[in-house]
Amino acid sequence: MSTTENVLSVRDLKVSFKLADGQVDAVRGVNFDVASGETVAIVGESGSGKSQTVMSLMGLLASNGRASGEALYRGEDLLRLSPRKLNRIRGDKITMIFQEPMSSLDPLYRIGRQIAEPMIHHGGLSPKAARAKALELLKLVRIPNAERRLDAYPHEMSGGQRQRVMIAMALANDPDILIADEPTTALDVTIQAEILRLLKDLQNRLGMAIVFITHDLGIVRRFADRVYVMRAGEVVEQGAVSEIFVRPQHPYTKMLLAAEPEGHKEPVPDTAPVLLQGRGVSVSFKIKEGFFGKNSFELKAVDNLSLTLRQGQTIGIVGESGSGKSTLGRALLRLISSRGEIIFEGQDLTGADLRRDRPLRRQLQIVFQDPYGSLSPRLTVGQIITEGLLVHEPELSRKERDRRAVEALKEVQLDPAMRNRYPHEFSGGQRQRIAIARAMILKPKVLVLDEPTSALDRSVQKEIVDLLRKLQREHNLSYLFISHDLSVVRALADTVIVMKEGKVVEEGLTEDVFARPQKDYTKELMAAAFMSQEARREAEREAASAKEAEAS
């Protein structure tokens, strides 16, 4: 790695947003440098200004946003370039992997075409050559059945697979700088490790610089050279990763290093009432391929799976991206078609019509993995949260709905004054909490949580885990907790199901499966998860040793 030449130098960067109720200063005078071939991490909690910092460099702020200061890329100030000149750099010399892939992939175009487009536009490749390279990139980021997936649409892929497609697009033109905004958020622990190795290998081969935005300090320690810690729009600490992790100076940095979901949930008794059952649930998708989609094949996303969810119970569902976790959750809520039996409180929902289903919807709620894709950009947060009340409690007055929205926002640790703002004005973690408030305002009996903490930093994850525990105790809720973050699953679930390729590989009490996994696949998942945790523990041990040395 060369540190003699700064490929990017940012000075006194400020980002503000003009709102109806005043101005919000998201970034307040940030300075940082990135050298050729270097990996610089920018870390901090949700809302700290990490993403807005890099979005301003790419000219991607919302229409009410304004950036000032200086951002020199090889002598050119990105903040002062015309849109035409910036477009020549953006997507070619500087590329970006976004935090929420579903909001940045066009739902109307096939994956292969979207990957090929920047190569045709910037690289001058023919459509045929660009498609061939798109296939190579899909294989490089380990998309299963890459040849077939070239003609898939974004909605036909899992969250983790969509994120890998974004990485393939970003690498298409061998960029000078790769900005990665939470690139492993949607990935399970095994694929996360593979993607990080892939990015490091490509960096070594291409000599590109990487700006890595994340809330996962375990990743930072293994992957980055230098780190900038942000809080409330300002850099509170910076330095070499080895120095920051061993001898953090700022209390905020120390808090981030110490944050980790803790505790465990006691299993519910076998006498607890059964709320939701799935018997022999199967889900298949017909995937079209070939010219005009004449050829097709059947993809079994969930294959003959059964489970029983009792009142007050939390079932954790884990597995790699594409294992069928999210598809199972949607099938049990009858959001997608499935075969088999689905029974809620003794009532068979199989083949039920929508009119009969509607009263049950408030009892069976879901928090989706991608909050930006599930929150309407045209509605305020208050309108989004109370939308379900218009359907299920139409007799409520506007004033009463607003009161309920205030209560819901307080429950998820958000300022109720924010209810008049729009989703794009919030960070990824804040949007996820809005999604949780929208589900909880109806006081459901069963809540499917599809990666609810994947977009959140560790300290906020702890708060959300505590919040979900509190809500479960107070309302005797039952959760289906779908996640690739095994530390969060271990803290929240009393039983766990391990899935792979639509089938159950292993299931049992959470502590039994984590402490004594029986199947090789489960052991592989646990090893990858504990490797990440061990990195954090190693940092804590080094910090303790350093303190002892200083004291002596």
Side-chain angles (χ1 to χ4, degrees):
M1 181 190 75
S2 172
T3 58
T4 58
E5 178 192 359
N6 284 333
V7 67
L8 179 67
S9 295
V10 175
R11 294 291 177 268
D12 196 29
L13 177 65
K14 297 177 183 177
V15 178
S16 61
F17 294 91
K18 189 175 182 180
L19 308 175
D21 54 354
Q23 178 174 295
V24 173
D25 296 321
V27 181
R28 308 177 182 186
V30 164
N31 302 296
F32 67 90
D33 296 301
V34 183
S36 296
E38 182 183 30
T39 300
V40 170
I42 303 177
V43 303
E45 293 182 292
S46 299
S48 64
K50 310 185 303 293
S51 294
Q52 296 304 332
T53 295
V54 294
M55 293 288 271
S56 67
L57 305 181
M58 298 289 283
L60 297 176
L61 292 177
S63 58
N64 63 335
R66 180 179 178 274
S68 63
E70 187 178 71
L72 295 179
Y73 164 68
R74 298 198 181 279
E76 290 190 277
D77 191 347
L78 299 174
L79 302 182
R80 289 169 175 78
L81 291 180
S82 67
R84 184 177 179 181
K85 289 183 177 179
L86 184 59
N87 277 335
R88 287 205 299 265
I89 296 174
R90 188 170 53 191
D92 184 20
K93 298 300 182 183
I94 305 178
T95 59
M96 186 168 180
I97 304 168
F98 294 94
Q99 181 177 358
E100 293 156 339
M102 198 58 181
S103 64
S104 52
L105 291 173
D106 194 319
L108 301 179
Y109 292 98
R110 300 179 191 273
I111 291 301
R113 178 174 174 178
Q114 296 191 56
I115 298 175
E117 188 173 354
M119 292 184 280
I120 295 171
H121 180 73
H122 293 288
L125 296 185
S126 67
K128 183 177 181 180
R131 181 179 172 85
K133 187 171 181 182
L135 177 59
E136 292 179 10
L137 288 166
L138 285 184
K139 291 179 178 179
L140 195 63
V141 297
R142 292 184 59 102
I143 293 287
N145 300 314
E147 291 85 354
R148 290 174 172 175
R149 293 316 233 174
L150 269 177
D151 292 318
Y153 290 97
H155 73 271
E156 295 174 323
M157 309 184 83
S158 70
Q161 289 170 337
R162 287 194 292 263
Q163 190 65 287
R164 280 180 273 174
V165 169
M166 285 296 303
I167 293 171
M169 290 176 65
L171 297 175
N173 288 308
D174 297 338
D176 210 9
I177 302 175
L178 174 64
I179 298 174
D181 188 357
E182 301 279 7
T184 58
T185 291
L187 304 180
D188 57 83
V189 289
T190 54
I191 302 300
Q192 181 187 87
E194 291 174 5
I195 291 298
L196 292 176
R197 284 195 296 268
L198 169 65
L199 289 175
K200 182 58 72 175
D201 289 344
L202 289 167
Q203 182 182 41
N204 293 335
R205 177 167 64 86
L206 303 173
M208 66 181 178
I210 296 178
V211 179
F212 202 89
I213 313 296
T214 186
H215 61 260
D216 192 330
L217 294 176
I219 291 177
V220 172
R221 191 178 194 282
R222 300 195 308 274
F223 188 67
D225 302 306
R226 290 189 301 114
V227 60
Y228 292 83
V229 182
M230 287 189 67
R231 183 186 187 189
E234 298 178 336
V235 173
V236 297
E237 190 164 359
Q238 60 179 289
V241 167
S242 57
E243 183 69 20
I244 295 294
F245 274 72
V246 174
R247 284 178 288 274
Q249 301 299 311
H250 198 279
Y252 179 71
T253 309
K254 295 176 182 178
M255 183 275 292
L256 289 180
L257 289 169
E260 180 74 30
E262 297 174 341
H264 70 281
K265 184 179 182 298
E266 292 297 329
V268 299
D270 293 339
T271 55
V274 174
L275 286 185
L276 183 67
Q277 284 183 292
R279 298 173 181 169
V281 178
S282 297
V283 179
S284 298
F285 297 107
K286 184 172 285 187
I287 307 298
K288 295 182 179 181
E289 60 181 0
F291 194 62
F292 292 127
K294 290 183 178 180
N295 302 321
S296 64
F297 68 97
E298 187 178 63
L299 175 66
K300 287 188 176 181
V302 178
D303 191 1
N304 195 32
L305 192 147
S306 299
L307 62 78
T308 298
L309 180 66
R310 298 181 180 275
Q311 192 168 48
Q313 184 182 23
T314 299
I315 297 179
I317 304 177
V318 302
E320 292 182 343
S321 300
S323 63
K325 307 186 300 293
S326 297
T327 302
L328 172 64
R330 285 165 170 76
L332 292 172
L333 297 188
R334 298 198 69 249
L335 297 177
I336 57 175
S337 299
S338 64
R339 298 185 300 275
E341 291 182 292
I342 299 171
I343 300 170
F344 175 67
E345 291 190 321
Q347 186 174 352
D348 189 356
L349 303 183
T350 309
D353 58 53
L354 293 176
R355 210 175 268 181
R356 195 193 78 176
D357 267 1
R358 178 166 287 184
L360 299 176
R361 288 296 180 197
R362 68 177 303 158
Q363 306 294 340
L364 300 163
Q365 288 291 302
I366 185 169
V367 176
F368 293 97
Q369 177 179 359
D370 181 358
Y372 197 77
S374 63
L375 301 179
S376 173
R378 295 186 175 91
L379 299 180
T380 66
V381 166
Q383 291 171 325
I384 289 170
I385 292 174
T386 58
E387 192 174 16
L389 296 177
L390 292 173
V391 176
H392 297 288
E393 298 185 47
E395 72 281 359
L396 292 181
S397 66
R398 183 176 179 178
K399 183 177 180 180
E400 178 61 18
R401 289 197 304 271
D402 188 62
R403 185 189 67 80
R404 295 272 290 271
V406 169
E407 291 178 353
L409 286 170
K410 286 181 178 178
E411 279 193 321
V412 296
Q413 289 99 40
L414 284 178
D415 185 355
M418 295 179 173
R419 65 189 184 279
N420 295 321
R421 299 180 184 176
Y422 291 86
H424 73 268
E425 299 172 37
F426 293 85
S427 68
Q430 289 171 326
R431 284 194 289 262
Q432 191 63 288
R433 281 180 274 176
I434 292 167
I436 293 173
R438 178 179 60 180
M440 292 308 305
I441 199 169
L442 294 174
K443 301 295 188 289
K445 291 184 178 180
V446 174
L447 186 59
V448 175
L449 299 153
D450 190 355
E451 302 280 6
T453 61
S454 64
L456 304 180
D457 54 80
R458 282 291 175 181
S459 61
V460 178
Q461 278 184 355
K462 289 182 70 173
E463 294 174 3
I464 294 299
V465 168
D466 291 341
L467 169 65
L468 292 172
R469 285 172 174 160
K470 177 176 178 291
L471 292 171
Q472 188 170 49
R473 287 194 305 268
E474 292 178 351
H475 305 288
N476 208 12
L477 290 168
S478 300
Y479 296 144
L480 282 178
F481 192 87
I482 300 166
S483 181
H484 63 261
D485 191 328
L486 300 188
S487 63
V488 177
V489 171
R490 188 172 196 174
L492 194 59
D494 44 320
T495 60
V496 65
I497 293 174
V498 182
M499 290 185 66
K500 183 180 183 183
E501 297 177 350
K503 295 179 179 290
V504 174
V505 175
E506 190 165 350
E507 62 182 310
L509 295 177
T510 300
E511 286 305 312
D512 290 344
V513 173
F514 273 73
R516 293 175 293 278
Q518 302 299 309
K519 304 296 182 180
D520 290 341
Y521 176 69
T522 310
K523 293 176 183 178
E524 181 184 349
L525 284 180
M526 300 300 168
F530 293 146
M531 187 184 303
S532 177
Q533 293 176 6
E534 184 58 31
R536 287 191 288 273
R537 294 193 185 101
E538 184 181 342
E540 292 171 0
R541 288 194 293 268
E542 290 180 2
S545 299
K547 286 182 179 179
E548 291 177 4
E550 290 175 359
S552 61

